[in-house]
Amino acid sequence: MRTSLRIELADAEGALMRLIGLVERRGFTIATLDKAAASNGQSTVTMMLDARDAARNMDVLARQVARLLDVRGVFTSDTHARIAPEIAAEAAAGPDRWRQACPPRR
Amino acid sequence: MTALPATEIDDTATTAAAERPARRQTGAHAVVRTLEALGVTRVFGYPGGAIMPVYDALTGSSLQHILVRHEQAAAFAADAQARLTGKAGVCLATSGPGATNLLTGIANAYLDSVPMIILTGQVPSGLMGTDAFQEVDVFGMSMPVVKHSIIIRDPMRIPEMIAEAFAIAEGGRPGPVLIDLPKDVLQAEAYPTLPPEPRLEAGPSHPSESDLAAATALLARSRRPVLYIGGGVTLGGAVDAVRDFMTRTGIPSVATLKGLGCAHPDSETYLGMLGMHGGRAANVAVDESDLLICCGARFDDRATGRLDSFAPGARIIHIDGDAAEIDKLRRAEIGLAGDISAILAGITNDWLDIAEWRDLCVERKHRHAFRYDAPGSGVFAPAMLKQLSEVAGDDFIAACDVGQHQMWVAQHCRFSRPEHHLTSAGLGAMGYGLPAGIGAAMTRPDAKVVTITGDGSIMMNIQELATARRYGVPIRILLLDNASLGLVRQWQEYFFDENFSEIDLYDNPDFAEVAHAFGIEAFTVHSREEVPAAIDRLLNARGPILAHVLIDPRENVWPLVPPGASNADMMED
Ligand SMILES: Cc1ncc(C[n+]2csc(CCOP(=O)(O)OP(=O)(O)O)c2C)c(N)n1
Ligand SMILES: [Mg+2]
């Protein structure tokens, strides 16, 4: 299943490499990747992802991405997947199509 | 940022140094002064070209530098210190080979969520990316196995960035943080300043009342609940909460390798380790349970066996400090991410009716208890390990290597606290035991620290006997010598048609003689009747000591769940 992920990423050395590496390692292939220029020390990355097998779960990936120290916010456009209880409250906060998958770390 | 008082920044710690002209303060001094200011007292390391400025700045510092004999050992020793204290251990190496030698230790800390700071020298900034001498991209190489990593490019930001690295390593779910230090940054002029208070990660969230009520309701309906305890309990500081929950509810519990020691060792309802080398009572209880309360565990394949037949009839309540663990491998009916103690305290058990189930589990635990009456007069390793941990008592700390001996420790030793069981659980790295034992014995010289190792594993870091000797480390080494890579041999026996391929270590050196050559007291144990005296001698030794124990090469670890099989299908002796 193809899903999109939008990530707000700090403009830090290695941040993009860390993000891409994690997504690939956790069992997703990156079909498209778009990164805007950084402003105010952060930039937005949007990816279309395909899971390598049926066992891969986008919500879990979103939470793994959110653990990265350089990630300021994670949004997913997939409205079907179940939302983990601790992030359900945040779901409403997402703009339109995008719901925030994880609260910011700090 | 506040500048440190002049007395702290200049290099006049000794009278001799006072007579030398004041030295220029560099990035390397800032590194050392920042570590001191953050309360670090000991670092494990090995010098070399790119990190030499830091070694230069160490002179006159209050930091104790422990010179290991291989960088991997620096990481393992720092790891053990961190597991015992909860504070980040620090290791230090040069660029290139020094940095690559650390990688196994970094991966080990990552997979077991151990807070660690790794300082690596790097070639000068201008040479980075040019394949310079001893240049490797350790920042890139280590990315999959660090919680975070940074390259410090501005010498003035050293205090701030190191302080933040410590906060990251120790905060939330702990992990290793690598700091790469280009040589020009270390040599540039810098004014050591006090590190600012780092920004902290958000603390664990608290679950909502409705989530707790849902968990309570699920528990009330359960007739066969089991508490499945993992290493996250220790990380979350929830050992007491788990013990209270067990006492309050009477729910039978099982533990993963990293969860050992969380339950009180004398608890009647604690059924032991589950999984591949788990006991029958533990695996059967999980198999029959209708509700699995997973507490700080991650459904690791060594614990679950075949995942789709793990606890097949159970609903799952998954409690974890790390939200990313929930639903990763097994979908939870209720996922509760946050402070484990608060969550457990919020689950009430007023309607719990499980007396029959609890009695059945406890009866099975006694019926399937391990037996120690092995025939013959040779040393029976499980019995020796059980006796060792019982004689050592609550201060027993085991630093294990990897193999059959590691599994015997897990099955047969008694641990009063989870931190007292130092084992390479996630990575399963042979070579961990000796350096981890050194790190542990330096951290807790008062405790009974014993490295339990095998004839294969000890050879992976045997050079560290020199470190134990140099610093007079109060470490006891119990070397269980079966003249083979026993765990691999056991798998070949059962799963590869007894095709014994490259596991025979018939030509091992005489390990007692090897220890003697390093200047370490050592003796050999040949038979069962020598065991009690050997244990006394080990535990009463003051400095490093090694007991070389000869055991039967055919001895196996039982029970055993074959790879890919369900935990219900365990093989027994
Ligand atoms: C660094 C590393 N290499 C290989 C392995 C695979 N391995 C697991 S156990 C084992 C044998 C260990 O032999 P020994 O230390 O003598 O322990 P025993 O099983 O005999 O008790 C091996 C080779 C490993 N875990 N780590
Ligand atoms: Mg062996």
Coordinates of all heavy atoms in Angstrom, one line a residue, chain B residues 35 38-44 63 74-75 77-91 109 113-119 147 162-171 174-179 443:
Chain B
L35 N 33.3 17.6 30.2 CA 33.0 16.3 30.8 C 33.1 16.4 32.3 O 32.2 15.9 33.0 CB 34.0 15.2 30.3 CG 33.9 14.9 28.8 CD1 35.0 13.9 28.4 CD2 32.5 14.3 28.5
L38 N 30.2 18.2 33.7 CA 28.9 17.4 33.7 C 29.0 16.2 34.7 O 28.1 15.4 34.8 CB 28.7 16.8 32.3 CG 28.3 17.8 31.2 CD1 28.4 17.2 29.8 CD2 26.9 18.4 31.5
G39 N 30.1 16.2 35.5 CA 30.1 15.1 36.5 C 30.7 13.8 36.1 O 30.7 12.8 36.9
V40 N 31.3 13.8 34.9 CA 31.9 12.5 34.5 C 33.2 12.3 35.3 O 34.0 13.3 35.5 CB 32.2 12.6 33.0 CG1 33.0 11.3 32.5 CG2 31.0 12.8 32.2
T41 N 33.4 11.1 35.8 CA 34.7 10.9 36.5 C 35.6 9.9 35.8 O 36.8 9.8 36.1 CB 34.3 10.4 37.9 OG1 33.5 9.2 37.8 CG2 33.6 11.4 38.7
R42 N 35.0 9.1 34.9 CA 35.9 8.1 34.3 C 35.5 8.0 32.8 O 34.3 8.0 32.4 CB 35.6 6.7 35.0 CG 36.4 5.6 34.4 CD 36.0 4.3 35.1 NE 36.3 4.3 36.5 CZ 35.4 4.0 37.5 NH1 34.2 3.6 37.2 NH2 35.7 4.0 38.7
V43 N 36.6 7.8 32.0 CA 36.3 7.5 30.5 C 37.2 6.3 30.2 O 38.3 6.1 30.7 CB 36.7 8.7 29.6 CG1 35.8 9.9 30.0 CG2 38.1 9.1 29.7
F44 N 36.7 5.5 29.2 CA 37.4 4.4 28.8 C 37.9 4.7 27.3 O 37.1 5.1 26.5 CB 36.5 3.1 28.7 CG 36.0 2.7 30.1 CD1 34.8 3.3 30.6 CD2 36.7 1.9 30.9 CE1 34.3 2.9 31.8 CE2 36.3 1.5 32.2 CZ 35.1 2.0 32.6
L63 N 39.5 13.7 35.4 CA 38.9 12.5 34.8 C 39.9 11.3 34.9 O 41.1 11.5 34.6 CB 38.7 12.7 33.3 CG 37.6 13.7 32.8 CD1 37.6 13.8 31.3 CD2 36.2 13.2 33.3
A74 N 36.5 -0.6 25.3 CA 36.1 0.7 25.9 C 34.6 0.9 25.8 O 34.0 1.3 26.8 CB 36.8 1.8 25.1
A75 N 34.0 0.6 24.7 CA 32.6 0.7 24.6 C 31.8 -0.2 25.5 O 30.9 0.1 26.2 CB 32.1 0.5 23.2
A77 N 32.9 -1.6 28.3 CA 33.1 -1.2 29.7 C 32.3 0.0 30.1 O 31.6 0.0 31.2 CB 34.6 -1.0 30.0
A78 N 32.2 0.9 29.2 CA 31.4 2.1 29.4 C 29.9 1.7 29.5 O 29.1 2.2 30.3 CB 31.6 3.1 28.3
D79 N 29.5 0.8 28.7 CA 28.2 0.2 28.6 C 27.8 -0.4 30.0 O 26.7 -0.1 30.6 CB 28.1 -0.8 27.5 CG 26.9 -1.7 27.5 OD1 26.6 -2.3 28.5 OD2 26.2 -1.8 26.5
A80 N 28.7 -1.2 30.6 CA 28.4 -1.8 31.8 C 28.3 -0.8 32.9 O 27.4 -0.8 33.8 CB 29.5 -2.8 32.2
Q81 N 29.2 0.2 32.9 CA 29.1 1.3 33.9 C 27.7 2.0 33.8 O 27.1 2.2 34.8 CB 30.2 2.3 33.7 CG 30.1 3.4 34.7 CD 31.4 4.3 34.6 OE1 32.5 3.9 34.5 NE2 31.1 5.6 34.6
A82 N 27.3 2.2 32.6 CA 26.0 2.9 32.4 C 24.9 2.1 32.9 O 23.9 2.6 33.5 CB 25.9 3.3 30.9
R83 N 24.9 0.8 32.6 CA 23.8 0.0 33.0 C 23.6 0.0 34.6 O 22.6 -0.1 35.1 CB 23.9 -1.5 32.5 CG 23.8 -1.6 31.0 CD 23.8 -3.1 30.6 NE 24.2 -3.2 29.2 CZ 23.7 -4.0 28.3 NH1 22.7 -4.8 28.7 NH2 24.1 -4.0 27.1
L84 N 24.8 0.1 35.2 CA 24.8 0.0 36.7 C 24.4 1.3 37.3 O 23.8 1.4 38.4 CB 26.1 -0.4 37.2 CG 26.3 -2.0 37.2 CD1 27.8 -2.3 37.4 CD2 25.4 -2.7 38.2
T85 N 24.7 2.4 36.6 CA 24.5 3.7 37.2 C 23.3 4.5 36.6 O 22.8 5.4 37.3 CB 25.7 4.7 37.0 OG1 25.9 4.8 35.6 CG2 26.9 4.1 37.7
G86 N 22.9 4.1 35.4 CA 21.8 4.9 34.8 C 22.3 6.1 34.1 O 21.6 6.9 33.5
K87 N 23.6 6.4 34.3 CA 24.2 7.6 33.7 C 25.0 7.2 32.5 O 25.6 6.1 32.5 CB 25.2 8.3 34.7 CG 24.5 8.7 36.0 CD 24.1 10.2 35.9 CE 23.2 10.6 37.0 NZ 21.9 11.2 36.6
A88 N 25.2 8.1 31.5 CA 25.9 7.7 30.3 C 27.3 7.3 30.6 O 28.0 8.0 31.3 CB 25.8 8.9 29.3
G89 N 27.7 6.2 30.1 CA 29.2 5.8 30.1 C 29.9 6.5 29.0 O 29.2 6.9 28.0
V90 N 31.2 6.8 29.1 CA 31.9 7.6 28.1 C 33.0 6.8 27.6 O 33.8 6.2 28.3 CB 32.4 8.9 28.7 CG1 33.1 9.7 27.6 CG2 31.3 9.7 29.3
C91 N 33.1 6.7 26.2 CA 34.3 6.0 25.6 C 34.9 6.9 24.5 O 34.2 7.8 24.0 CB 34.0 4.6 25.1 SG 32.6 4.6 23.9
A109 N 25.0 -1.1 22.7 CA 24.3 -0.1 23.5 C 23.0 0.3 22.9 O 22.0 0.4 23.6 CB 25.2 1.1 23.8
S113 N 19.4 -0.3 24.6 CA 19.0 1.0 25.1 C 19.9 1.5 26.3 O 19.3 1.8 27.4 CB 17.5 1.0 25.5 OG 16.7 0.6 24.5
V114 N 21.2 1.5 26.1 CA 22.1 1.9 27.1 C 22.6 3.3 26.9 O 23.0 3.6 25.7 CB 23.3 0.9 27.2 CG1 24.3 1.4 28.3 CG2 22.8 -0.5 27.5
P115 N 22.5 4.2 27.8 CA 23.0 5.6 27.6 C 24.5 5.6 27.5 O 25.2 5.1 28.4 CB 22.6 6.4 28.8 CG 22.4 5.3 29.9 CD 22.0 4.1 29.2
M116 N 25.0 6.1 26.4 CA 26.5 6.1 26.2 C 26.9 7.4 25.4 O 26.2 7.8 24.5 CB 26.9 4.9 25.5 CG 28.4 4.7 25.4 SD 28.8 3.3 24.3 CE 28.5 2.0 25.4
I117 N 28.1 7.9 25.7 CA 28.6 9.0 24.9 C 29.9 8.4 24.2 O 30.8 7.9 24.9 CB 29.0 10.2 25.7 CG1 27.7 10.8 26.4 CG2 29.7 11.3 24.9 CD1 26.7 11.5 25.4
I118 N 29.9 8.5 22.9 CA 31.1 8.0 22.2 C 31.8 9.3 21.6 O 31.2 10.0 20.8 CB 30.7 7.1 21.1 CG1 29.8 5.9 21.7 CG2 31.9 6.6 20.3 CD1 28.4 6.0 21.5
L119 N 33.0 9.5 22.0 CA 33.8 10.6 21.4 C 34.8 10.0 20.4 O 35.6 9.2 20.8 CB 34.5 11.3 22.5 CG 33.7 12.0 23.6 CD1 34.5 12.3 24.9 CD2 33.0 13.2 23.1
K147 N 21.3 6.6 18.9 CA 20.1 7.4 19.2 C 20.2 8.7 18.5 O 19.3 9.2 17.9 CB 19.9 7.6 20.7 CG 18.6 8.3 21.0 CD 18.3 8.3 22.5 CE 17.1 9.2 22.8 NZ 16.9 9.4 24.2
I162 N 28.0 19.0 23.8 CA 28.3 17.8 24.6 C 27.2 17.7 25.7 O 26.7 16.6 26.0 CB 29.7 17.9 25.2 CG1 30.8 17.7 24.1 CG2 29.9 16.7 26.2 CD1 32.2 17.6 24.6
A163 N 26.9 18.8 26.3 CA 25.8 18.7 27.4 C 24.5 18.2 26.8 O 23.8 17.4 27.4 CB 25.6 20.1 28.0
E164 N 24.2 18.7 25.6 CA 23.0 18.2 25.0 C 23.1 16.7 24.6 O 22.1 16.0 24.8 CB 22.7 19.0 23.7 CG 21.4 18.6 23.1 CD 20.8 19.6 22.1 OE1 21.5 20.6 21.8 OE2 19.7 19.4 21.6
A165 N 24.2 16.3 24.2 CA 24.4 14.9 23.9 C 24.1 14.0 25.1 O 23.5 12.9 25.0 CB 25.8 14.6 23.4
F166 N 24.6 14.4 26.3 CA 24.3 13.7 27.5 C 22.8 13.6 27.8 O 22.3 12.6 28.2 CB 25.1 14.3 28.7 CG 26.5 13.8 28.9 CD1 27.5 14.3 28.1 CD2 26.8 12.7 29.8 CE1 28.8 13.8 28.2 CE2 28.1 12.2 29.9 CZ 29.1 12.7 29.1
A167 N 22.2 14.8 27.6 CA 20.7 14.8 27.9 C 20.0 13.9 27.0 O 19.1 13.2 27.4 CB 20.2 16.2 27.8
I168 N 20.4 13.8 25.7 CA 19.8 12.9 24.8 C 20.0 11.5 25.1 O 19.1 10.6 25.1 CB 20.3 13.2 23.3 CG1 19.8 14.6 22.9 CG2 19.8 12.2 22.4 CD1 20.5 15.1 21.6
A169 N 21.3 11.2 25.4 CA 21.7 9.8 25.7 C 20.9 9.2 26.9 O 20.4 8.1 27.0 CB 23.2 9.7 26.0
E170 N 20.7 10.1 27.9 CA 20.1 9.6 29.2 C 18.6 9.8 29.2 O 17.9 9.2 30.0 CB 20.7 10.4 30.4 CG 22.2 10.0 30.6 CD 22.9 10.9 31.6 OE1 22.3 11.8 32.2 OE2 24.1 10.6 31.8
G171 N 18.0 10.7 28.4 CA 16.6 11.0 28.5 C 15.8 10.0 27.7 O 16.2 9.2 26.9
P174 N 16.8 5.6 26.7 CA 18.3 5.9 26.6 C 18.9 5.2 25.3 O 18.4 4.3 24.8 CB 18.9 5.3 27.9 CG 17.7 5.1 28.8 CD 16.5 4.8 27.9
G175 N 20.1 5.7 25.0 CA 20.8 5.1 23.9 C 22.1 5.8 23.7 O 22.4 6.8 24.3
P176 N 22.9 5.3 22.7 CA 24.3 5.9 22.5 C 24.2 7.1 21.6 O 23.4 7.2 20.7 CB 25.0 4.8 21.8 CG 23.9 3.9 21.1 CD 22.7 4.1 22.0
V177 N 25.0 8.1 22.0 CA 25.1 9.3 21.2 C 26.6 9.5 20.8 O 27.5 9.5 21.7 CB 24.6 10.6 21.9 CG1 24.8 11.8 21.1 CG2 23.1 10.4 22.3
L178 N 26.9 9.6 19.5 CA 28.2 9.7 19.0 C 28.6 11.2 18.7 O 27.8 11.9 18.1 CB 28.4 8.9 17.7 CG 29.8 8.9 17.1 CD1 30.3 7.5 16.8 CD2 29.8 9.8 15.8
I179 N 29.7 11.6 19.2 CA 30.2 13.0 18.9 C 31.5 12.9 18.1 O 32.5 12.4 18.7 CB 30.4 13.7 20.2 CG1 29.2 13.7 21.1 CG2 30.9 15.1 20.0 CD1 29.4 14.3 22.5
T443 N 33.0 0.2 38.7 CA 31.9 1.0 39.2 C 31.4 0.6 40.5 O 31.0 1.4 41.4 CB 30.7 0.9 38.1 OG1 31.2 1.2 36.8 CG2 29.6 1.9 38.4

